[in-house]
C-alpha cells in the first residue's frame, strides 16, 4: 500500500517540493499575491505611466520634434535606439510599484520601440554577394597608420575607402596597402583603394572649401560601379548651441545632389557621414540609398566611438545593388570602427 501511494503521487513528474514547476508556481503566486483584489493597482504608478507614455510619444513623433532650437530633433534621432534601455527599467519599477497602469504604458512603449528597431535585432546576413566593400575613418592622429592599413586590408575588401587622411600619412597608407590593392586614388583627405581599375576619379564639392569627398568608377568583373567616398563635417553637442550641425547638413544636401545626378545605375557610398540613418538632416542622401546594415546586417552596427560604440555614423549605402551582409570590423588605433559589407552586382544588360 505504501509503495502504491508513493507511485500515485510521483507518476508524471510528481509534485514534490523539488520540482522546478512547483518552485516557479510558488514564485509567481508570491509576486501576484499583492495584486489580487487590490483596486489600487490602477491608481498607483501614475508618474511611471506618464514617463512611459512620454517615452512612447517621443519615439512615435520623433520626426516632428523641431530642429529650430539647437537641432533637437536631429539630436534625438541620432541616439533614438538608446531610448530602449529605459523600458526594462520602467518595467521593473512598475512591478515593484504594483501598478497595472504603469505596466500597460510600459508595454505600449516597448511595442513602439520594437516597431522601430525590432527588425535590426535579427541576423539578416546571407552567404551570397560578389563584391566586398569597407570604409574606415582612420583618425588624423592615428599613432600607427601602417598597422591600421594592414588591419582593414585583412578584411578581404575588394574596395576600401579611408577618411581623415592627413597628407603626411598618405604615403604610409599607400605603401601598406599596395600589396593588396593595385589601384588607388586620394582626393584631399579621403581615399579609395581597389583591386579593380579606377576611372573617372574626381572631387565632389560638398560646400566646405576643401576636399573631403570624391567619386570614382570601379571597373568590377560584373561591370562599372560608381563609388562615392565622403567625410561630412563633424557635429558637436554644446550647452549653449545644442546640436550644432549646420555645416554637416549643408554638405549632406550637396552630396545628395551629386548622387542624384549620377548616371550609372549602380552606386555605393562609403564614408563617415557624422549622422545616422534616423537623422532627418541626411534625407538628401539617405532617401536615395539603402543602408547595407539595415538591409542585411545583424544588430545596430554602431561604429562610434570605438571604445563604446553608441551610434552608426560610418555608413555603407547602396543603390542598384543588393546587400547580402554587413558588419563592423575589429577596432584599430582609430576612434571609429571600420565597417564592411558584401553586395551582389547584377550583370550589366
Amino acid at each position: 500500500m505504501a509503495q502504491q501511494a508513493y507511485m500515485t503521487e510521483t507518476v508524471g513528474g510528481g509534485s514534490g517540493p523539488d520540482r522546478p514547476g512547483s518552485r516557479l508556481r510558488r514564485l509567481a503566486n508570491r509576486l501576484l499575491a499583492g495584486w489580487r483584489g487590490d483596486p489600487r493597482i490602477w491608481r498607483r504608478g501614475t508618474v511611471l505611466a506618464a514617463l512611459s507614455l512620454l517615452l512612447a510619444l517621443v519615439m512615435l513623433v520623433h520626426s516632428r520634434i523641431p530642429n529650430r532650437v539647437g537641432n533637437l530633433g536631429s539630436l534625438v534621432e541620432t541616439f533614438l535606439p538608446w531610448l530602449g534601455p529605459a523600458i526594462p527599467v520602467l518595467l521593473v519599477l512598475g512591478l515593484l510599484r504594483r501598478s497595472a497602469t504603469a505596466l500597460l504604458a510600459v508595454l505600449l512603449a516597448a511595442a513602439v520601440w520594437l516597431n522601430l528597431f525590432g527588425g535590426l535585432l535579427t541576423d539578416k546576413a546571407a552567404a551570397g554577394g560578389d563584391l566586398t566593400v569597407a570604409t574606415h575613418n582612420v583618425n588624423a592622429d592615428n599613432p600607427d597608420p601602417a598597422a591600421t592599413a594592414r588591419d582593414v586590408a585583412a578584411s578581404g575588401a575588394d574596395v576600401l575607402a579611408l577618411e581623415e587622411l592627413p597628407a603626411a600619412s598618405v604615403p604610409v597608407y599607400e605603401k601598406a596597402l599596395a600589396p593588396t590593392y593595385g589601384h588607388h586614388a586620394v582626393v584631399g583627405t579621403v581615399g579609395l583603394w581597389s583591386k579593380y581599375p579606377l576611372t573617372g576619379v574626381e572631387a565632389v564639392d560638398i560646400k566646405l572649401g576643401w576636399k573631403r569627398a570624391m567619386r570614382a568608377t570601379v571597373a568590377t568583373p560584373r561591370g562599372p560601379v560608381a563609388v562615392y567616398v565622403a567625410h561630412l563635417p563633424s557635429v558637436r553637442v554644446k550647452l549653449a548651441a545644442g546640436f550644432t550641425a549646420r555645416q554637416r547638413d549643408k554638405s549632406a544636401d550637396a552630396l545628395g545632389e551629386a548622387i542624384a545626378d549620377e548616371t550609372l545605375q549602380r552606386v555605393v557610398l562609403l564614408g563617415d557621414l557624422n549622422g545616422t540613418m534616423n537623422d532627418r538632416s541626411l534625407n538628401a542622401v539617405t532617401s536615395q540609398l539603402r543602408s547595407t546594415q539595415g538591409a542585411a546586417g545583424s544588430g545596430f552596427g554602431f561604429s562610434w566611438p570605438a571604445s563604446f560604440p553608441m551610434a552608426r555614423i560610418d555608413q555603407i549605402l547602396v543603390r542598384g545593388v543588393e546587400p547580402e551582409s554587413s558588419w563592423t570590423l575589429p577596432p584599430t588605433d582609430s576612434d571609429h570602427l571600420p565597417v564592411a559589407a558584401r553586395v551582389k552586382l547584377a550583370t550589366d544588360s
Side-chain angles (χ1 to χ4, degrees):
M1 291 293 292
Q3 183 180 11
Q4 183 179 2
Y6 174 79
M7 292 180 65
T8 301
E9 191 173 80
T10 59
V11 69
S15 57
D18 292 329
R19 283 189 65 204
S22 298
R23 291 196 296 271
L24 290 174
R25 280 195 297 272
R26 286 198 300 274
L27 177 61
N29 288 335
R30 283 199 296 270
L31 289 174
L32 295 174
W35 297 68
R36 294 193 182 106
D38 183 359
R40 293 177 300 170
I41 62 174
W42 298 105
R43 297 197 294 269
R44 285 193 296 259
T46 54
V47 173
L48 288 175
L51 289 174
S52 300
L53 291 175
L54 178 61
L55 187 68
L57 183 64
V58 169
M59 291 187 289
L60 275 172
V61 301
H62 65 85
S63 63
R64 296 183 178 273
I65 298 174
N67 260 343
R68 290 188 297 273
V69 180
N71 274 333
L72 180 61
S74 286
L75 177 60
V76 170
E77 288 168 336
T78 296
F79 298 103
L80 196 60
W82 288 96
L83 296 181
I87 293 174
V89 174
L90 291 168
L91 177 63
V92 171
L93 292 175
L95 287 170
L96 292 175
R97 192 75 178 90
R98 293 178 179 175
S99 169
T101 303
L103 292 183
L104 286 177
V106 171
L107 289 176
L108 175 62
V112 173
W113 189 91
L114 287 172
N115 181 61
L116 289 173
F117 303 111
L120 293 175
L121 301 179
T122 60
D123 187 353
K124 300 177 288 297
D130 43 38
L131 182 73
T132 301
V133 297
T135 180
H136 189 26
N137 179 325
V138 295
N139 189 353
D141 298 322
N142 193 311
D144 194 349
T148 294
R150 289 191 295 269
D151 288 344
V152 290
S155 68
D158 302 304
V159 177
L160 170 65
L162 300 182
E163 303 86 49
E164 209 166 292
L165 291 169
S169 298
V170 168
V172 180
Y173 286 104
E174 289 175 329
K175 181 179 179 181
L177 294 171
T180 306
Y181 301 99
H183 312 272
H184 83 279
V186 175
V187 175
T189 60
V190 297
L192 186 65
W193 277 258
S194 173
K195 295 180 180 179
Y196 309 119
L198 300 177
T199 58
V201 176
E202 60 183 358
V204 175
D205 183 10
I206 56 173
K207 311 303 181 184
L208 276 176
W210 69 95
K211 297 175 181 177
R212 282 177 45 155
M214 63 177 289
R215 178 215 176 272
T217 299
V218 179
T220 76
R222 291 183 175 269
V225 178
V227 177
Y228 287 77
V229 183
H231 182 194
L232 297 187
S234 299
V235 296
R236 298 287 185 269
V237 180
K238 301 177 181 178
L239 290 177
F243 191 64
T244 58
R246 184 174 302 172
Q247 185 59 64
R248 191 272 320 258
D249 300 346
K250 181 180 178 182
S251 292
D253 290 343
L255 178 61
E257 289 177 10
I259 293 172
D261 291 337
E262 176 57 53
T263 57
L264 288 181
Q265 179 184 1
R266 297 181 298 193
V267 178
V268 176
L269 169 61
L270 306 168
D272 174 7
L273 302 189
N274 270 305
T276 69
M277 293 296 292
N278 295 315
D279 189 340
R280 78 195 67 169
S281 295
L282 298 185
N283 279 351
V285 174
T286 57
S287 63
Q288 303 184 64
L289 305 168
R290 298 174 68 192
S291 163
T292 59
Q293 186 66 25
S298 175
F300 292 92
F302 294 148
S303 63
W304 178 88
S307 57
F308 187 82
M310 296 185 66
R312 185 179 177 89
I313 64 174
D314 300 277
Q315 305 288 357
I316 300 176
L317 308 180
V318 300
R319 183 176 75 199
V321 305
E322 186 63 30
E324 296 289 344
S325 55
S326 186
W327 63 97
T328 57
L329 296 168
T332 67
D333 284 319
S334 172
D335 56 342
H336 292 242
L337 292 179
V339 298
R342 189 154 178 82
V343 299
K344 182 178 181 181
L345 304 177
T347 305
D348 265 358
S349 55

